[in-house]
Amino acid sequence: MKTPIKGSCTLVGAGPGDPELLTLKAVKAIASATVLLVDDLVNDAVLEHASPNARIVHVGKRGGCKSTPQAFIDKLMITAVIEGEHVVRLKGGDPFIFGRGGEEVENLHKVGIDADVVNGITSGQAALTGLGVSLTHRDHAQGVLFMTGHAQPGAQGPDWPSVAQLCHQQRITLLIYMGTSRSAQIQAGLLQGLPAQTSVAVVQNASRHDQRHAVTTLDALHDTLHAEGLSSPCIIAVGDVLTALRALKDNSPIPMRCAA
Ligand code: SAH
């Protein structure tokens, strides 16, 4: 007979960084957790909602960096739940947007643990809101596409010329996560289906006090990123919704280069 599982696991989206963007549900889950497993893109300020008795474990996992292996994180979660802990897995943005939340829910399910998931505001959304840009302004876009710029090991990654064609034909705003280290390839691929003058914004640390951004055109994406020293975590946004912002930048007497 299977031992009943006494603990619980909730995957909680901590949002893009601004701790005031947490949902009420996230705050409640954090407050009732006995163990918190925290990703490195989570702003530590959200931990002020945690119980003083809770055990807090930082399990950073950044593409390309040395970090806690996913299998170890899964094991930690499962062991704690079996021991009767109320585990909150805190993830940056939304747990189901490139956060490996799907894999974690599957792995928990395999051992008989049903995880709850609490949405968070994804960084792509916060990045454009921070610039005052509507992702789906109906004069410029009829959809949004969330893409990863980081191919899985052994996989080819996105076919950027096809993505560009789709975005061009269907007037879609493109949000690229984890794209900074491959900006040259992304630019070259997208230029095969989108005009060189397509508007682009790169937003680093969206919604945080140290948010910075640059507004440019597709043919200057890679150079701009380097010239401005923008690095991970960044969202690369591409599409006509950004054109008004570019016009503002071009006409503005004050350089809008990197807004605080
Ligand atoms: N689940 C997260 C995404 C995790 S993937 C979400 O919904 O936002 C990690 C990538 O997210 C980073 O490489 C970066 O591209 C993006 N990202 C996360 N937080 C960010 C922030 N505050 N500003 C800009 N990009 C961010």
Side-chain angles (χ1 to χ4, degrees):
M1 216 175 79
K2 267 178 117 187
T3 354
I5 291 167
K6 293 198 290 290
S8 66
C9 186
T10 310
L11 272 64
V12 174
D18 178 349
E20 297 205 343
L21 288 177
L22 276 181
T23 63
L24 287 176
K25 227 174 177 166
V27 170
K28 283 185 193 162
I30 294 169
S32 58
T34 55
V35 173
L36 290 119
L37 303 180
V38 186
D39 261 3
D40 61 0
L41 282 177
V42 172
N43 187 341
D44 272 352
V46 306
L47 297 174
E48 76 175 38
H49 300 290
S51 152
N53 303 321
R55 186 152 62 94
I56 297 173
V57 187
H58 285 90
V59 287
K61 271 201 67 34
R62 294 284 290 279
C65 300
K66 202 167 158 40
S67 55
T68 317
Q70 185 66 43
F72 182 79
I73 298 174
D74 289 343
K75 206 169 158 194
L76 214 62
M77 270 195 296
I78 292 167
T79 312
V81 175
I82 290 173
E83 284 170 354
E85 304 285 359
H86 295 290
V87 177
V88 158
R89 174 82 174 99
L90 260 178
K91 294 172 140 323
D94 183 87
F96 278 176
I97 305 263
F98 304 125
R100 292 206 181 189
E103 285 161 64
E104 291 183 6
V105 167
E106 281 167 10
N107 290 336
L108 288 160
H109 193 73
K110 277 184 201 151
V111 295
I113 300 167
D114 286 327
D116 285 327
V117 180
V118 176
N119 285 127
I121 293 176
T122 188
S123 50
Q125 210 182 356
L128 288 213
T129 301
L131 301 186
V133 173
S134 159
L135 282 172
T136 58
H137 190 304
R138 72 173 184 169
D139 290 347
H140 308 293
Q142 50 183 9
V144 185
L145 190 58
F146 297 93
M147 294 294 299
T148 175
H150 182 80
Q152 275 212 51
Q156 271 216 312
D159 174 1
W160 295 112
S162 305
V163 170
Q165 270 168 25
L166 177 74
C167 291
H168 193 42
Q169 284 163 5
Q170 297 300 319
R171 298 193 305 134
I172 287 173
T173 305
L174 174 61
L175 297 176
I176 305 170
Y177 293 63
M178 296 171 278
T180 44
S181 61
R182 298 180 65 83
S183 59
Q185 294 94 315
I186 292 171
Q187 174 181 325
L190 290 179
L191 281 171
Q192 291 183 50
L194 276 163
Q197 289 303 300
T198 305
S199 298
V200 169
V202 182
V203 185
Q204 181 179 345
N205 294 326
S207 89
R208 292 183 178 242
H209 63 89
D210 52 354
Q211 172 174 316
R212 298 169 67 223
H213 76 269
V215 183
T216 185
T217 48
L218 185 55
D219 57 351
L221 164 64
H222 179 69
D223 287 346
T224 305
L225 232 138
H226 282 269
E228 304 290 354
L230 290 162
S231 58
S232 181
C234 274
I235 292 292
I236 300 172
V238 183
D240 288 344
V241 292
L242 294 155
T243 303
L245 196 65
R246 224 178 89 207
L248 205 63
K249 178 197 167 218
D250 292 343
N251 298 328
S252 170
I254 307 157
M256 283 195 53
R257 203 162 72 81
C258 293

